[in-house]
Amino acid sequence: MLGQATVPLVGMVDTVVIGRTGDAAALAGVALGTTIVNFLFWTFGFLRMGMTGLTAQAQGADDGTEVRAMLARGLLLGLALGALLFALQWVLVPVSLGLFAGARELDAAASGYITARFLGAPASLAVFAINGWLLGLGRTRSALLLQIVMNVVNGVLDIWFVWGFGMGAEGVGLGTAIAEWVALGTGLTIAAGILGPTALEGLRTRLFDLAALKRLFAINADIMVRTVALLLLFAWFANAGARLGTEVLAANQVLMQFVSIAAFVLDGFAFTAESRVGNAIGRGRHEELKRAIRLTGEFSLGAGLVFALTTGLAGSWLIGLITTDPQVRELARAFLPYTALVPLIGVPAWLLDGIFIGATRGKALRNAAVVTTALYVATDLLLRPCGAHGMWIAFLIGYLYRAGTLGAALPGLIRGIAEKPAAP
């Protein structure tokens, strides 16, 4: 949970540094830019999610060589895909901006932020793989250290570039890109320390093992579709805010910091479920699987209630710290009750994600996400006459769709695990 709490601090720092300048257009530009970057980068989020489940299962089966090979495959794939994104940015950036309902001033700020972020694309995707590998091994302290290093570097550079040099949204993006490269160096150092002198042992024969690669790409293809579907959901939500005006989009960016912190911290339980579920499946233990689901579920619901209460009670004060623009503050406070409900309503969806990722059930994740996004878009269209309130209500209902579609597949997952005899 501590490690996960540091993940959204990158976006929080970006938002606060820009928000304290009082420039609503720059804040909205960072909001729009973040949505586009998240969509493009997290399209390859399987590098984190697929890596966790497969690594945990390899560890559960006591296959050290496959554990090492998984890291090498993830790093190579992440660097290659990140380099491809960087090379295609000249096409991707204008096309992405053209799909959103932003004004010219908003597009200019967003473009500067996105272009700077693309400098860190290879490092960002490689760090996805390292994080997934560490979580699969249950090395949560190492994952925490990695995130702390990235956040400290990002915070210092954001303040320096924006408040020191007046670089605006572009400075925020550049600070984050540099922090991602520092995080990659840190992650490689951590991985080398964990593996020790055996880091390269067996890689020559296992790195390009056909069966392992086939399984990796099959699972990752399903998770990629799942991720793109959910990213479309969040992009639709961001575009709904942009359609209602720069101030609404800026207010949504402020409120999404609360959502991100709750989601990432509560994902700590989901990541625990990923590792424990993966290990239980690797060992073929039904009771361990059920226990992991029950315990993480109980703690998740309790923590979700705490987050909901905290957001509702302290949210107005925190909004005042994040932005100085009066109109943005007023709008954010008006929509705060919806934001306070997200941690409670979203808990089942986040936890079920972790369970299915740990079980490497990519098809179930894919199908649930596609159905969820389609239902969410239909709901948002139906609620458009309600304006911004309808936008937030549809967003909350989207979490119920995610939980319902995955929950329906959970009994089949549990039944499908083959029980292995205990070792003598």
Side-chain angles (χ1 to χ4, degrees):
M1 287 178 67
L2 288 173
Q4 283 301 100
T6 66
V7 174
L9 289 181
V10 173
M12 174 66 85
V13 170
D14 290 352
T15 301
V16 172
V17 170
I18 286 293
R20 297 298 298 177
T21 66
D23 188 341
L27 179 56
V30 170
L32 183 57
T34 300
T35 300
I36 292 172
V37 168
N38 284 345
F39 184 91
L40 294 172
F41 285 21
W42 274 102
T43 293
F44 307 102
F46 58 77
L47 288 166
R48 207 289 300 161
M49 291 175 279
M51 183 72 67
T52 301
L54 291 171
T55 301
Q57 290 180 29
Q59 186 188 42
D62 200 24
D63 189 348
T65 303
E66 181 61 17
V67 168
R68 294 189 291 274
M70 280 300 306
L71 175 61
R73 292 185 198 118
L75 284 171
L76 291 174
L77 192 56
L79 289 170
L81 291 172
L84 180 63
L85 275 179
F86 178 79
L88 294 176
Q89 66 176 295
W90 317 114
V91 176
L92 294 172
V93 175
V95 169
S96 299
L97 288 172
L99 295 175
F100 285 84
R104 180 173 298 179
E105 184 182 9
L106 176 59
D107 284 354
S111 179
Y113 174 83
I114 297 168
T115 301
R117 282 295 306 274
F118 265 89
L119 294 171
S124 181
L125 269 57
V127 169
F128 285 176
I130 294 175
N131 258 322
W133 185 77
L134 290 173
L135 291 167
L137 294 178
R139 298 273 187 162
T140 53
R141 290 184 181 178
S142 297
L144 170 61
L145 175 61
L146 178 59
Q147 291 298 329
I148 287 174
V149 170
M150 181 174 175
N151 280 305
V152 169
V153 174
N154 178 69
V156 171
L157 292 179
D158 274 6
I159 292 171
W160 189 20
F161 292 154
V162 177
W163 294 353
F165 295 150
M167 294 176 65
E170 183 180 3
V172 169
L174 182 60
T176 304
I178 294 173
E180 287 168 336
W181 282 104
V182 174
L184 175 58
T186 304
L188 291 173
T189 303
I190 291 172
I194 292 172
L195 296 174
T198 66
L200 302 178
E201 189 176 308
L203 287 185
R204 179 176 295 182
T205 56
R206 292 289 289 277
L207 181 59
F208 298 108
D209 178 82
L210 187 60
L213 286 171
K214 184 177 179 181
R215 187 185 183 207
L216 174 67
F217 282 107
I219 293 169
N220 286 348
D222 288 328
I223 292 178
M224 183 175 181
V225 174
R226 171 259 182 199
T227 305
V228 169
L230 292 180
L231 288 170
L232 283 171
L233 187 156
F234 284 98
W236 185 279
F237 176 74
N239 196 46
R243 190 182 66 250
L244 293 171
T246 298
E247 287 74 18
V248 173
L249 179 59
N252 282 355
Q253 174 68 1
V254 171
L255 293 173
M256 287 304 290
Q257 304 315 304
F258 297 100
V259 174
S260 294
I261 290 174
F264 276 99
V265 172
L266 295 175
D267 259 349
F269 296 113
F271 287 176
T272 301
E274 289 179 32
S275 179
R276 298 299 183 184
V277 166
N279 268 278
I281 291 173
R283 288 161 53 83
R285 298 287 185 268
H286 267 102
E287 289 306 313
E288 290 182 16
L289 173 65
K290 293 177 182 177
R291 185 172 185 271
I293 293 172
R294 178 178 60 82
L295 288 176
T296 51
E298 291 171 354
F299 278 102
S300 293
L301 287 172
L305 179 59
V306 171
F307 260 99
L309 292 173
T310 302
T311 303
L313 295 173
S316 181
W317 173 71
L318 291 171
I319 288 168
L321 293 180
I322 294 172
T323 179
T324 59
D325 186 280
Q327 190 170 358
V328 173
R329 281 181 173 180
E330 182 181 352
L331 286 169
R333 285 166 176 156
F335 306 142
L336 182 62
Y338 299 116
T339 312
L341 289 173
V342 171
L344 197 56
I345 294 176
V347 158
W350 299 326
L351 181 62
L352 285 165
D353 267 353
I355 292 168
F356 278 84
I357 289 169
T360 59
R361 294 301 191 268
K363 289 183 179 179
L365 287 163
R366 177 199 66 195
N367 295 341
V370 170
V371 171
T372 292
T373 300
L375 291 173
Y376 160 73
V377 169
T379 303
D380 181 74
L381 291 173
L382 286 172
L383 294 176
R384 277 195 176 177
C386 301
H389 291 282
M391 170 188 68
W392 272 99
I393 292 170
F395 184 68
L396 289 173
I397 294 174
Y399 283 105
L400 298 178
Y401 292 147
R402 284 176 66 181
T405 49
L406 282 175
L410 183 60
L413 183 154
I414 297 173
R415 289 194 302 269
I417 303 304
E419 182 81 18
K420 296 180 183 178

